C-alpha cells in the first residue's frame, strides 16, 4: 500500500451535551478496505457523517488526497470523489432502479432546466452517454433483472445493492459504506461481499466500511478501527484488533462465535 | 303570454365575501320582479331573473355572465366590487347593461366613459359628501375633528379624497385610521382613534367589520351618536352590537327602510302572503331587502320606458337608452327621485341620513345631494384615467 | 406610555383570543399529527350551533354546554366516517381531506342555518373598562381568561397517561397499533377535544364579530400563532398567541400613521417569516429527529 | 384491449426514452391535440371562453406549481402572488410600449426574481413551515400590490390590459386569445414532461425524497431548490400574465388573493402531485366543478326537482364540491391522476388481475 | 389456549402484488419458533398479517385463516389483537421518537385492562434492560440502535402479551448486544412461558435458541422442522449458516449455485 488517501486528525463532535467523537485520528491508505467497528452509539456513523460533510466536526480536520474537506458541503465532497451509502437505505422512492442508479451520474451532468426545453438536442444525448456507464455498473452488480422495477418494491438486500450501484456510478475514488450488510442472511451477505470486493478491485477504490458482521469484517478488512463511546480503543490489522481484550469486552461479548 | 320575457342576470355572491348582504338584497330583487310579473309584467313581457352564485370568484362570474348572456339576459347585477370591475370592459363590448348600485367603480357615474354601466344610486363619494353635509347642518363642520376608520382596501380608502377636499372647504380636520381586513379585530386601531379625540367618527366597512367597529367605538367611550356609517350598516349589525347600545348611530341610506311604502305593501300582499316570496318573510322591509327592491324598480322602469319608446324586442342598447330616460323616478317614495342622463349614470347622487332608534332606522334628513362639484370632479378625474387606458 | 401599555395589554388579550382559536389546531396536531385546515370551520360550526340552540330558547350557558357536547360528538364522527380510512396515508392527503371538510362545512353550515350574520349575546357589557387611562376590552378580557383556562387544562391533560398515549399516536401510527393503542380512538378523541376548544373560540369570537362563515377565517391568525409557538406545543400556543397579539398591536400602533395603511398583517407576516428563518420549529416546537 | 405492452420492444436507449412508448397513448395524445386545435370550431364561445380557455391557463399554472410541489416536494402556498407579479409586471411593461412577447418574458422574469426570494425560505425549512413562510410572503405581496396605487392601477385598483398582438397577430378575438393560451399550455406540458427526464428533474425528485442522499451524490440542494423556485416562478409568472391578457382583461388584487393560492394547491393535490395528467384533471376539477355544480343545481331547481331556499341552493355546490374532494381522497388518496392511472393499468395488464410474482 | 395457527394465508399488496402465497404455520403455547428466509421472502408480511398491520401499507389478506387460541383474528383490528395478548415488535424498532423511554412504556400500558400495575411492569422492563433506565429521560429518538431495540421489546412487554412476535431484533446491533437480546428473549420465553415468534436473518444464533423453525422463500413455506433437524440440512447450512460461520469471503468470489429449492 502507498500513501494515505484520507486522513482524519483529532476529530471532535458534540451534540448538545453529548461528546460523540472524542478526538479521533485515522488514516486510510490508498486501495485498502478499512473497517470501522464498535458498539451501537459509539460514533461510527457520526465519524462517517463528518467525512462526507453532513456534520462539521467542531475540532479537527479531514484531508482527502491531501485536500481539506471538512467544512465543504456534502455535494462538494461527493464531487471530489467520495461516495457513500447509508445505514438506513436512502434510495429515491418513486424512481425506478435504473433512475436511481442514473442519479449517481449527477456530478457529470448539467442540471439546467433549460435542457428540458431543448430536450431532443441536448438532454437526450447526455442521458444516452451516461446510460453506458450505468449499464456497466448494472452488469457488475447483477441488477439486470430489476432494472425497471420501482425501487421501493424490491427486497431490502437488492435495495442495498442498488445503493451501492448508485455510489459506484459517481466513479468515486473512495467508497464509504455504512452497514451494507445489515439485515442480510448468509447468502446475501456473501453476494454483497463479492460485489464490494469486485468493485474495489476493478475500480481501484479505497473503501471505508462500517459493519457489525464480525466474520465479514475479519475476512475482508485490511485494517480496522474500533470505536467505543467516541474513543478509539483499537486500531490495526483486523484479526489483531478484534482480539484485543478491550474490544472483546465492549463490542464482541462472551459468545463472539455466535454471530 | 307569448311576449318575449325580459331576462336579468342576478349573478351574485351568496357564499363568500358578501354573504352579509346578498341574501336579503337578492330576495328583495326577486320579490319585486315577482310582483311585477304578478301585475302583468312590463307591457306584457314577463321578467325572468337568472340567479347564480359566483362565490365572488372572477372566473365563476365570467362564466355565469357568458352563460346568462347566451340565454339572452340584457341586464346584470353582480353585487361584487371585484367581479363588476373585472367585467366592465366586457359588458361595454357586449352592449348589455351592468348595474352597480352601491358597489363597483364610482367613476362609472360618468356616462360618456361608461355608457353601459349604471350605478343608479349614490356612489361612495356622494355618500361621504351627504354624511358630511348632515353634520354641517346639524352641528356644523368647522373646527371639528373627524376620524375615518376604514377597512384597508380600495373600497375603504375610497371616501378619503372627497372628504379631504370637503375638509379644505369647510375647515375641519380629518384623519384616516385603516384596520386590516376583514376587520374582525380592530383594537389597536381604536386605541389610536380614542387618543385622537375625534368629534365625529366615520366608519367605512362592510359586514362583520362594521359591528366590530361600533362595539369598539362604544367600548372606547365614543358616543354612538357621533358615529356616521357608510350605507353598509343594517339591522343585523345593530343586533350584533346590541340593539339598545347602538342608539343614535347614523348612517347613509339610499332607500327607505320598512314596509311602510306602496311598493312594499303590494309585495307583502301579492307576493309574500300568497307564498311566492323568495326567502324568509321576516326579512321583508329590512335595509338590504329594500335596497334590492329599489334596484329592480329602477331597472324595470328603464325597461318600461325603453319598450314604450323603442318597442320590443328589448336589447341592451335599448335598455341603456331606457335608463337614460329615467327622470324624477322615486319608486313611489322608496327612494329619492333620481334622474339618469347620458352623462350622469348615478342619478344625481341622492340619499339621506338616518338614525338607529333601538328598533328601526329613522330618517334625520331629507333626500338630498351634497358637494356635487367636488364629487363631480372626483368622478371626472377618475373616469379620465380610465378613458386614458385605465 | 399609557398608549404603549394599552396597545400591549389589548394586544395580549387579542393574542389570547387567537390562541383560543389556535388551541384546537395544536391539540389535533399534537395527538394525530395532522395540521387541521378545518379548524376554522369547526370554530364557525360551533358558533352556529350555539346560536341555533340559543335561538331555540335555551339559556346561553346551557346552549354552550350542549354545543360543546355536540362538537365533541362531531369530532368523533369525523374520525369514524373519514379519518379512519385515511390512516397510514401521506399527511398531505389528510391535510387535503381537512381542506375538503372545511369547504363542505363552509357550505353546509351557512347553507342550513342561513348565511346572514347572527349574533350571540353573552351578556358582556359594552361599558368601557379604563384603568389609569389604559382601556381594556371587556369581551377580550373574558376571552383571554377562558383561553388561559383552556390552555391550562390542555397542558394538564397532556401530562396524564392518556395524553402521553395521544402523543405516541401522533409520532407513529403503525407503531401505536402494534402496541395496542387504538389510533382511531385517539384521533377521534383529539378531534372531539378540538371540537370543544372550537366552541370556546366560536362563542367568544362570534359574540364580538357576529356569527357567519367568516369565523372560519380565524384559521389564519391561528396558524400564525401556532407556527410562532411551535406546532405541537401548548405552551407555544400561549406564547405564540401573546407574541402575535402584542407585536400585531404595538408595532402597527406606531407604524400605521406613517405607512398609510394597516400594517398589522404585514407585521404578522414578517414575524412569521423571521421566526421560520431564525428558528424553524417555532419557539417551543419539537424538532424533527432525523438520523442519517 | 386498448393498451398493448406486448409487442413493444425497444432496441436502443433513445427509443426506450420516448415520451409515450405505448402506441395507444400516442393515439390519445394525438386525438386530444387535434381536438384542442379545432376547439374554436367545435364548441360555442360560451364553452370556449368560460371553460376551455381558463382551464388551459389554470392548467399551465397548476403545472408550474406542480413542478415545485410535485417534482420538488416544496410546498408553496403563495403561488397566486407569483402569478400576480407576472401579471402586473407584464401589463405595466406592455403599457410602457414593450411588445407583448417581451412583456410576457419580462413578467416571467420579474416573477422569477421575486419568486426565488420565496425560495430562500425553502433553504431553511420544509413541510408545514414552508407553507407558512410562503403564505406570509403571499400576504406581503398582496399588501404591496393593493397599497401601492401605482402598481394596482389607481384608486379603483383595477388595471386593464392594453391591446396587444402576438407574433403580429392582434389578440383581440376570443379565438386568438384561446390559441395563445393553448400554445403556452402545450409548451408548459412538454416542458414538464421533459423536465422529469432530465438531470434537473431527477435532482429535484431526489431532493424531495431524501435530501441527504441527494447531497451525497453531488446534488447541490441550495442551487437545485432555488432553480426550482426560479423555474416554477417564471412559468407561474407567465401563466399569470397570460391569465390577465387572455382571460381577465383587467386585473384586480382579489384575482390573485391567497384563496387563489389555496385553489392552486388544491389543483395540484387533487390532480395528483407531479403528474401532467393530474395538472389537467386537477385544474379542471377545481376550476370547473363548482361552476358545473352551480349550473346543475340551478337547472335542477328550475326544473322543479326540488324546492329549497335560495340560500341553501347557493351553498349546495360548496357542499358537493367539498364532499367530492373528500370522496376522491377516500377513494383514491393519490389523486385523479392515480385514478386515471389505475384505469389505464387495468387495461395494460388486461386480462390478468394481478401483476407480480 | 394461546397457540397461533395460520392456514393458507395469502396477502396482496396494492390490490396487485401477491406477497405471500398460502402460508400455513402453527405455533403452540409456550413454544419459541423462528421464521427464516431471505430478503423479501415475506417474513414481515406474515407477521403483519398476524398482527393486523397490513392496512396502512395497502395490503390485504385475500385468503386463508389466522387463529389465535380460539379466536379468528381476521375480523379484529390491530389493537384488539394486542388486547388478546398478541404483540408485534416491528422491524426497524419504531420507537416513539419524541417521547422518553418512560413515556414510550406508558403509551403501551393497557390501563384499566391491565393485570399488573404500570410501575410493576416498568420495573420489570428496566430489570431486563438496565441500560434503558439510565436513558429514561432523554428522547427515544436519540437513543442508539441497540437501546431503541431494547425499548421496542420492553414496550411490547408492557402490553402483557401471551405471544410476542419479533421482526429482526438483531438488525444493526453489535454482536455483544445481539447476544444480550437473544438471551433475554430466551429468558422471557423460559421464565414466563411467553410464546415467541422470531423473524431473523441471523440464522445461526436463532437456531440455537428456538424449538422449531419455518423457512419461507418467495412467499411460500419451503421447509419446516425442529431446530436441530434444520441445522443439519446441507442447504440450510450453505445458505443460512455459512457452513458454520467459517467462510473465507475472499474465496467466494466465484460463481455460486442458487438455492436448490427455488423453482
Ligand atoms: N443528530 C444527532 N443529534 C443528537 N445526537 C446524535 C445525533 N447523531 C448521533 N447522535 C448521538 O451520537 C452518538 C453516536 O451515534 P452514531 O449514530 O454515530 O452511532 P453508531 O456508532 O453509528 O451506532 P450504530 O451502530 O447503532 O449505528 C449517539 O449517542 C447518538 O445518540
Ligand atoms: N407495502 C408494500 N407494497 C408493495 N409490495 C410490498 C410492500 N411491502 C412489501 N412488499 C413486497 O412483498 C414482498 C415481501 O416483503 P416482506 O417485507 O414481507 O419481506 P421480508 O421477508 O420481511 O424481507 P426483509 O428481510 O427485507 O424484511 C417483497 O417482495 C416486498 O417487495
Ligand atoms: C357589495 C358591497 C358590500 C361591496 C363593497 N363596495 C366592498 O367592496 O366591500
Ligand atoms: Mg451507525
Ligand atoms: Mg422484513
Amino acid at each position: 500500500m502507498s500513501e494515505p488517501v484520507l486522513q482524519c486528525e483529532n476529530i471532535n463532535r458534540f451534540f448538545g451535551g453529548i461528546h460523540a467523537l472524542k478526538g479521533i485520528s485515522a488514516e486510510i491508505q490508498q486501495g485498502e478496505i478499512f473497517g470501522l467497528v464498535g458498539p451501537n452509539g459509539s460514533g461510527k456513523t457520526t465519524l462517517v457523517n463528518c467525512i462526507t460533510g453532513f456534520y462539521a466536526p467542531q475540532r479537527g480536520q479531514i484531508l482527502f488526497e491531501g485536500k481539506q474537506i471538512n467544512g465543504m458541503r456534502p455535494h462538494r465532497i461527493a464531487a471530489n470523489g467520495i461516495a457513500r451509502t447509508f445505514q438506513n437505505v436512502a434510495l429515491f422512492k418513486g424512481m425506478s432502479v435504473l433512475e436511481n442508479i442514473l442519479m449517481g451520474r449527477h456530478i457529470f451532468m448539467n442540471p439546467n432546466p433549460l435542457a428540458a426545453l431543448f430536450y431532443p438536442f441536448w438532454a437526450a444525448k447526455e442521458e444516452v452517454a451516461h446510460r453506458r456507464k450505468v449499464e456497466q455498473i448494472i452488469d457488475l452488480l447483477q441488477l439486470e433483472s430489476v432494472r425497471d422495477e420501482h425501487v421501493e418494491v424490491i427486497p431490502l438486500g437488492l435495495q442495498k445493492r442498488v445503493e451501492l450501484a448508485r455510489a459506484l456510478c459517481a466513479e468515486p475514488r473512495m467508497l464509504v459504506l455504512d452497514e451494507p450488510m445489515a439485515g442480510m442472511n448468509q447468502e446475501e451477505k456473501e453476494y454483497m461481499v463479492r460485489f464490494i470486493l469486485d468493485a474495489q478491485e476493478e475500480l481501484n477504490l479505497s473503501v471505508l466500511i462500517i459493519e457489525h458482521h464480525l466474520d465479514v469484517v475479519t475476512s475482508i478488512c485490511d485494517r480496522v478501527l474500533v470505536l467505543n463511546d467516541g474513543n478509539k480503543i483499537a486500531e490495526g490489522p483486523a484479526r489483531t484488533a478484534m482480539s484485543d481484550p478491550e474490544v472483546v469486552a465492549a463490542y464482541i461479548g462472551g459468545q463472539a462465535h455466535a454471530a | 303570454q307569448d311576449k318575449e320575457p325580459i331576462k336579468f342576470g342576478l349573478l351574485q355572491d351568496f357564499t363568500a365575501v358578501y354573504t352579509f348582504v346578498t341574501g336579503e338584497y337578492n330576495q328583495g330583487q326577486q320579490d319585486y320582479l315577482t310582483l311585477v310579473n304578478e301585475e302583468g309584467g312590463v307591457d306584457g313581457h314577463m321578467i325572468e331573473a337568472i340567479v347564480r352564485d359566483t362565490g365572488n370568484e372572477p372566473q365563476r362570474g365570467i362564466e355565469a355572465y357568458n352563460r346568462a348572456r347566451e340565454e339572452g339576459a340584457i341586464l346584470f347585477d353582480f353585487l361584487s366590487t371585484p367581479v363588476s370591475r373585472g367585467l366592465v370592459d366586457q359588458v361595454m363590448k357586449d352592449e348589455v347593461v351592468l348595474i352597480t348600485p352601491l358597489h363597483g367603480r364610482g367613476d362609472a357615474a360618468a356616462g360618456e366613459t361608461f355608457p353601459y354601466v349604471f350605478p343608479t344610486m349614490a356612489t361612495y363619494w356622494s355618500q361621504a359628501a351627504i354624511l358630511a353635509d348632515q353634520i354641517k347642518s346639524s352641528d356644523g363642520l368647522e373646527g371639528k375633528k373627524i376620524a375615518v376608520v376604514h377597512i384597508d382596501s380600495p373600497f375603504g380608502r375610497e371616501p378619503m379624497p372627497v372628504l379631504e377636499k370637503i375638509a379644505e372647504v369647510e375647515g375641519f380636520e380629518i384623519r384616516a385610521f385603516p384596520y386590516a381586513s376583514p376587520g374582525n379585530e380592530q383594537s389597536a386601531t381604536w386605541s389610536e382613534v380614542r387618543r385622537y379625540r375625534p368629534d365625529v367618527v366615520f366608519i367605512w366597512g362592510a359586514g362583520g367589520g362594521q359591528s366590530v367597529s361600533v362595539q369598539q367605538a362604544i367600548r372606547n367611550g365614543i358616543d354612538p351618536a357621533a358615529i356616521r356609517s357608510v350605507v353598509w350598516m343594517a339591522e343585523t349589525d345593530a343586533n350584533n352590537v346590541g340593539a339598545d347600545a347602538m342608539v343614535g348611530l347614523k348612517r347613509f341610506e339610499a332607500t327607505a327602510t320598512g314596509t311602510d311604502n306602496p311598493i312594499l305593501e303590494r309585495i307583502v300582499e301579492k307576493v309574500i302572503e300568497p307564498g311566492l316570496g323568495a326567502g324568509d318573510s321576516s326579512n321583508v322591509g329590512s335595509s338590504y331587502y329594500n335596497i334590492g327592491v329599489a334596484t329592480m324598480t329602477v331597472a324595470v322602469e328603464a325597461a318600461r320606458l325603453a319598450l314604450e319608446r323603442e318597442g320590443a324586442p328589448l336589447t341592451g342598447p335599448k335598455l341603456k337608452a331606457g335608463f337614460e330616460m329615467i327622470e324624477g323616478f322615486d319608486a313611489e317614495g322608496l327612494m329619492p327621485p333620481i334622474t339618469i342622463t347620458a352623462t350622469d349614470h348615478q342619478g344625481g347622487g341622492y340619499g339621506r341620513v338616518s338614525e338607529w332608534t333601538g328598533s328601526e332606522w329613522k330618517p334625520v334628513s331629507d333626500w338630498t345631494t351634497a358637494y356635487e362639484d367636488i364629487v363631480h370632479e372626483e368622478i371626472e378625474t377618475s373616469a379620465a384615467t380610465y378613458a386614458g387606458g385605465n | 406610555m399609557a398608549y404603549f401599555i394599552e396597545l400591549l395589554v389589548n394586544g395580549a388579550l387579542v393574542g389570547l383570543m387567537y390562541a383560543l382559536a389556535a388551541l384546537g389546531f395544536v391539540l389535533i396536531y399534537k395527538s394525530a399529527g395532522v395540521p387541521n385546515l378545518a379548524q376554522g370551520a369547526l370554530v364557525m360550526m360551533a358558533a352556529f350551533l350555539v346560536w341555533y340552540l340559543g335561538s331555540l330558547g335555551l339559556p346561553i350557558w346551557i346552549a354552550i354546554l350542549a354545543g360543546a357536547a355536540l362538537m365533541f360528538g362531531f369530532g368523533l364522527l369525523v374520525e369514524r366516517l373519514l379519518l379512519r380510512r385515511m390512516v397510514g396515508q401521506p399527511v398531505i392527503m389528510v391535510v387535503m381531506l381537512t381542506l375538503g371538510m372545511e369547504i363542505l362545512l363552509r357550505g353546509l353550515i351557512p347553507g342550513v342555518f342561513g348565511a346572514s350574520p347572527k349574533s350571540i349575546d353573552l351578556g358582556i357589557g359594552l361599558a368601557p373598562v379604563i384603568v389609569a387611562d389604559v382601556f381594556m376590552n371587556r369581551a377580550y378580557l373574558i376571552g383571554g381568561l377562558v383561553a388561559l383556562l383552556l390552555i391550562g387544562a390542555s397542558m394538564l391533560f397532556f401530562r396524564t397517561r392518556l395524553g402521553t398515549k395521544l402523543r405516541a399516536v401522533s409520532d407513529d401510527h403503525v407503531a401505536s397499533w402494534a402496541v395496542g393503542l387504538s389510533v382511531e380512538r385517539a384521533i377521534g378523541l383529539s378531534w372531539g377535544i378540538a371540537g370543544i376548544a372550537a366552541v370556546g373560540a366560536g362563542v367568544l369570537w362570534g359574540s364580538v364579530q357576529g356569527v357567519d362563515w367568516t369565523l372560519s377565517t380565524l384559521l389564519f391568525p391561528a396558524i400564525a400563532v401556532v407556527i410562532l409557538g411551535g406546532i405541537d406545543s401548548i405552551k407555544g400556543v400561549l406564547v405564540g398567541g401573546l407574541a402575535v397579539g402584542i407585536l400585531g398591536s404595538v408595532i402597527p400602533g406606531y407604524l400605521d400613521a406613517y405607512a398609510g395603511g394597516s400594517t398589522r398583517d404585514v407585521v404578522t407576516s414578517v414575524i412569521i417569516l423571521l421566526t421560520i428563518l431564525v428558528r424553524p420549529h417555532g419557539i417551543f416546537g419539537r424538532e424533527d429527529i432525523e438520523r442519517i | 384491449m386498448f393498451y398493448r405492452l406486448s409487442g413493444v420492444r425497444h432496441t436502443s436507449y433513445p427509443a426506450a426514452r420516448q415520451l409515450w412508448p405505448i402506441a395507444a397513448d400516442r393515439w390519445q395524445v394525438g386525438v386530444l391535440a387535434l381536438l384542442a386545435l379545432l376547439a374554436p370550431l367545435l364548441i360555442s364561445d360560451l364553452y370556449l371562453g368560460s371553460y376551455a380557455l381558463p382551464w388551459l391557463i389554470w392548467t399551465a399554472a397548476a403545472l408550474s406549481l406542480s413542478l415545485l410541489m410535485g417534482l420538488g416536494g416544496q410546498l408553496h402556498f403563495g403561488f397566486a402572488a407569483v402569478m400576480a407579479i407576472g401579471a402586473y409586471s407584464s401589463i405595466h411593461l406592455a403599457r410602457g410600449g414593450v411588445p407583448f412577447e417581451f412583456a410576457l418574458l419580462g413578467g416571467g422574469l420579474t416573477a422569477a426574481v421575486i419568486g426565488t426570494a420565496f425560495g430562500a425560505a425553502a433553504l431553511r425549512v420544509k413541510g408545514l413551515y414552508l407553507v407558512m413562510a410562503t403564505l406570509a410572503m403571499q400576504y406581503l405581496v398582496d399588501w404591496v400590490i393593493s397599497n401601492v396605487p401605482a402598481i394596482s392601477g389607481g384608486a379603483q385598483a383595477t388595471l386593464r390590459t392594453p391591446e396587444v398582438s402576438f407574433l403580429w397577430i392582434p389578440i383581440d378575438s376570443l379565438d386568438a386569445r384561446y390559441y395563445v393560451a393553448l400554445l403556452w399550455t402545450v409548451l408548459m406540458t412538454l416542458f414538464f414532461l421533459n423536465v422529469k427526464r432530465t438531470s434537473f428533474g431527477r435532482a429535484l425528485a431526489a431532493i424531495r425524497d431524501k435530501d441527504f442522499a441527494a447531497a451525497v451524490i453531488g446534488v447541490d440542494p441550495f442551487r437545485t431548490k432555488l432553480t426550482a423556485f426560479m423555474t416554477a416562478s417564471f412559468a407561474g409568472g407567465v401563466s399569470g400574465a397570460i391569465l390577465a391578457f387572455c382571460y381577465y382583461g383587467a386585473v384586480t388584487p382579489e384575482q390573485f388573493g391567497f384563496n387563489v393560492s389555496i385553489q392552486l394547491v388544491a389543483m395540484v393535490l387533487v390532480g395528483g402531485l407531479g403528474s401532467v395528467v393530474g395538472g389537467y384533471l386537477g385544474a379542471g376539477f377545481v376550476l370547473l366543478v363548482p361552476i358545473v355544480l352551480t349550473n346543475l343545481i340551478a337547472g335542477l331547481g328550475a326544473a322543479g326537482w326540488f324546492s329549497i331556499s335560495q340560500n341553501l341552493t347557493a351553498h349546495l355546490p360548496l357542499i358537493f364540491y367539498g364532499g367530492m374532494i373528500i370522496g376522491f381522497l377516500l377513494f383514491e388518496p393519490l389523486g385523479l391522476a392515480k385514478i386515471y392511472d389505475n384505469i389505464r393499468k387495468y387495461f395494460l395488464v388486461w386480462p390478468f388481475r394481478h401483476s407480480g410474482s | 389456549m394461546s397457540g397461533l395457527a395460520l392456514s393458507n394465508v395469502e396477502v396482496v399488496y396494492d390490490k396487485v402484488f401477491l406477497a405471500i402465497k398460502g402460508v400455513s404455520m402453527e405455533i403452540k403455547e409456550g413454544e419459541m419458533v423462528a421464521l427464516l428466509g431471505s430478503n423479501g421472502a415475506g417474513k414481515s408480511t406474515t407477521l403483519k398479517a398476524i398482527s393486523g398491520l397490513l392496512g396502512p401499507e395497502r395490503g390485504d389478506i385475500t385468503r386463508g385463516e389466522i387463529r389465535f387460541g380460539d379466536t379468528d383474528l381476521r375480523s379484529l383490528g390491530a389493537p384488539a389483537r394486542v388486547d388478546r395478548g398478541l404483540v408485534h415488535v416491528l422491524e426497524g424498532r419504531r420507537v416513539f421518537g419524541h417521547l422518553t423511554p418512560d413515556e414510550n412504556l406508558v403509551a403501551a400500558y393497557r390501563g384499566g385492562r391491565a393485570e399488573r400495575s404500570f410501575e410493576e411492569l416498568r420495573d420489570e422492563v428496566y430489570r431486563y434492560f438496565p441500560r434503558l433506565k439510565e436513558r429514561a429521560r432523554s428522547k427515544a429518538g436519540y437513543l442508539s440502535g441497540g437501546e431503541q431495540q431494547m425499548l421496542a421489546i420492553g414496550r411490547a412487554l408492557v402490553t402483557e402479551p401471551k405471544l410476542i412476535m419479533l421482526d429482526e431484533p438483531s438488525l444493526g446491533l453489535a454482536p455483544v448486544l445481539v447476544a444480550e437480546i437473544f438471551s433475554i428473549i430466551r429468558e422471557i420465553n423460559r421464565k414466563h412461558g411467553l410464546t415467541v415468534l422470531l423473524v431473523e436473518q441471523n440464522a445461526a444464533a436463532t437456531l440455537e435458541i428456538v424449538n422449531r423453525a419455518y423457512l419461507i422463500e418467495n412467499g411460500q413455506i419451503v421447509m419446516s422442522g425442529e431446530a436441530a433437524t434444520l441445522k443439519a440440512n446441507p442447504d440450510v447450512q450453505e445458505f443460512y449458516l455459512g457452513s458454520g460461520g467459517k467462510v473465507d469471503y475472499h474465496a467466494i468470489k466465484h460463481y455460486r449455485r442458487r438455492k436448490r429449492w427455488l423453482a
Side-chain angles (χ1 to χ4, degrees), chain A residues 45 87 178-179:
Chain A
T45 302
Q87 184 166 357
D178 194 352
E179 300 195 27

Side-chain angles (χ1 to χ4, degrees), chain A residues 152-157 159 183 188, chain D residues 357, chain E residues 13-14 17-20 37-46 48 57-59 91 167-168 199 201 216:
Chain A
E152 63 263 35
V153 304
I154 65 171
L156 187 84
Q159 293 189 11
E188 292 157 339
Chain D
S357 51
Chain E
Y13 279 114
D14 241 344
F17 186 85
L18 190 56
I20 61 174
S38 51
N39 271 299
K43 305 179 298 292
S44 302
T45 305
T46 309
K48 283 179 202 152
E57 304 196 32
R58 307 178 133 227
E91 187 174 358
D167 198 348
E168 304 201 20
V199 163
Q201 299 289 1
I216 184 169

Side-chain angles (χ1 to χ4, degrees), chain B residues 148-167:
Chain B
V148 183
V149 183
H150 66 83
I151 186 165
D152 195 20
S153 73
F155 150 64
R157 289 189 285 266
E158 208 162 344
M160 285 313 292
V162 163
L163 286 175
E164 274 158 9
K165 282 185 193 136
I166 298 176

Side-chain angles (χ1 to χ4, degrees), chain B residues 12-334:
Chain B
Q12 298 158 0
D13 166 19
F14 291 88
T15 53
V17 180
Y18 301 119
T19 46
F20 71 94
V21 48
T22 312
E24 292 174 23
Y25 175 93
N26 181 269
Q27 188 184 344
Q29 292 187 317
Q30 289 199 56
D31 284 355
Y32 178 72
L33 295 181
T34 310
L35 174 70
V36 171
N37 289 341
E38 287 299 300
E39 292 178 340
V42 185
D43 189 25
H45 297 266
M46 293 294 127
I47 300 187
E48 197 179 296
I50 301 172
V51 181
R52 289 289 182 283
D53 175 35
T54 63
N56 201 40
E57 284 176 17
Q59 69 264 21
R60 290 177 65 183
I62 292 174
E63 189 273 349
Y65 166 78
N66 283 335
R67 181 173 292 275
R69 251 188 52 66
E70 205 177 68
E71 286 175 26
I74 49 169
L75 175 138
F76 295 89
D77 180 3
F78 298 107
L79 188 65
S80 156
T81 299
V83 175
S84 290
R85 284 182 182 165
L87 278 165
V88 160
D89 284 323
Q90 191 61 39
V91 163
M92 296 204 289
K93 209 158 100 190
D94 293 341
E95 303 193 325
V96 288
V97 173
L98 170 65
I99 57 169
T100 60
L102 306 176
H103 72 274
R105 303 182 69 105
D107 54 4
E112 321 84 4
T113 317
F114 298 92
Y116 282 90
V117 187
F118 292 87
T120 73
M121 289 183 182
T123 61
Y124 293 120
W125 294 319
S126 295
Q127 294 184 25
I130 290 169
L131 286 170
D133 185 56
Q134 187 270 336
I135 301 169
K136 183 180 177 188
S137 55
S138 57
D139 313 315
L141 272 173
E142 204 173 330
K144 289 261 160 38
K145 275 165 94 177
I146 297 185
V148 183
V149 183
H150 66 83
I151 186 165
D152 195 20
S153 73
F155 150 64
R157 289 189 285 266
E158 208 162 344
M160 285 313 292
V162 163
L163 286 175
E164 274 158 9
K165 282 185 193 136
I166 298 176
E168 241 165 69
V169 176
E170 302 289 352
F172 61 92
E173 191 184 320
I174 182 161
R175 200 170 132 194
F177 296 88
Y179 59 79
S181 117
N184 57 346
E185 200 291 292
Q186 309 170 10
S187 52
T189 308
W190 286 92
S191 290
E192 275 184 87
V193 175
R194 181 161 52 92
R195 285 187 162 65
Y196 180 62
R197 302 192 188 288
D199 301 299
V200 181
V201 180
F202 277 45
I203 56 174
W204 218 266
Q210 288 287 76
S211 54
V212 174
S213 285
V214 180
Q215 283 176 30
Q216 285 283 7
I218 299 174
R219 288 210 160 97
N220 275 282
I222 291 166
D223 182 1
I227 303 176
R228 301 290 181 281
S229 168
V230 64
V231 66
W232 307 117
M233 174 65 70
E235 297 75 11
T236 41
D237 302 301
N239 284 330
N240 206 14
V241 175
D244 297 330
M246 205 174 91
V247 173
L249 179 140
K250 295 177 193 60
R251 68 163 188 194
F252 169 87
E253 69 180 20
T255 59
T257 306
T259 50
D260 185 17
N261 169 281
I263 291 183
L264 276 134
E265 280 163 6
R266 294 211 307 281
I267 288 181
V268 170
E269 181 198 340
K270 295 186 182 166
V271 180
I272 307 300
E273 278 167 7
L276 301 173
D280 187 347
S281 56
S282 66
N283 291 336
V284 176
S286 75
S287 302
Y288 297 157
Y289 182 95
N290 283 11
I291 294 175
V293 171
T295 59
M296 285 298 105
T297 61
V298 179
V300 168
E301 175 68 7
R304 196 183 60 73
L305 289 170
L307 279 174
E308 199 176 278
R309 213 69 68 83
E310 316 237 359
L314 207 52
T315 60
K318 286 186 192 170
L319 185 60
K320 163 194 174 339
F323 267 96
E324 289 169 353
M325 286 181 269
I326 288 175
E327 212 185 313
F329 177 76
D330 71 347
E332 304 174 46
L334 180 62

Side-chain angles (χ1 to χ4, degrees), chain E residues 6-210:
Chain E
L6 276 74
S7 61
N8 220 10
V9 175
E10 194 176 281
V11 172
V12 173
Y13 279 114
D14 241 344
K15 298 213 159 57
V16 288
F17 186 85
L18 190 56
I20 61 174
K21 316 160 185 174
V23 165
S24 300
M25 312 194 334
E26 211 182 325
I27 299 160
K28 291 193 268 303
E29 191 173 342
E31 237 190 337
M32 184 136 149
V33 174
L35 182 59
L36 303 175
S38 51
N39 271 299
K43 305 179 298 292
S44 302
T45 305
T46 309
L47 293 200
K48 283 179 202 152
I50 299 171
S51 59
L53 296 178
L54 287 170
E57 304 196 32
R58 307 178 133 227
D60 213 3
I61 301 179
T62 48
R63 190 185 303 166
E65 204 187 33
I66 305 175
R67 305 191 67 83
F68 182 58
D70 36 34
T71 34
D72 180 9
L73 288 182
R74 278 188 61 182
S75 58
L76 295 180
R81 300 186 200 196
V82 176
D83 230 26
R84 295 239 173 4
L86 197 147
V87 73
H88 180 175
V89 180
L90 296 164
E91 187 174 358
R93 295 140 204 173
R94 306 195 67 162
V95 295
F96 301 122
H98 292 101
L99 272 52
T100 64
D102 233 11
E103 290 170 330
N104 266 273
L105 300 184
V106 169
Y109 183 61
R110 289 191 303 155
R113 297 185 311 284
E115 280 161 24
R116 296 197 280 159
S117 79
F118 173 69
E119 286 70 23
E120 210 177 315
L121 287 165
R122 181 187 58 193
D123 292 344
E124 184 175 289
V125 170
Y126 286 158
R127 213 169 40 249
Y128 283 126
F129 306 109
R131 206 183 303 224
L132 283 184
K133 194 170 183 176
E134 294 162 26
R135 311 282 316 250
R137 309 217 152 265
S138 56
K139 278 191 177 181
Y142 291 121
L143 299 187
S144 81
E147 289 162 347
Q148 288 191 352
Q149 188 63 58
M150 294 177 192
L151 181 57
I153 297 175
R155 190 176 62 179
L157 291 177
V158 170
T159 66
E160 306 180 297
K162 301 196 185 75
L163 182 144
I164 187 168
M165 299 188 285
L166 300 150
D167 198 348
E168 304 201 20
S170 76
L171 185 90
L173 295 194
V176 61
L177 279 177
V178 175
E180 192 176 330
I181 285 191
F182 271 57
S183 80
I184 289 170
I185 294 170
R186 185 177 7 207
E187 188 185 335
I188 294 169
N189 168 255
R190 299 259 163 91
K191 276 210 195 128
H192 299 279
L194 186 61
T195 317
V196 176
L197 174 54
L198 182 60
V199 163
E200 254 305 330
Q201 299 289 1
N202 190 343
T206 309
L207 288 178
E208 290 293 326
I209 63 166
V210 297

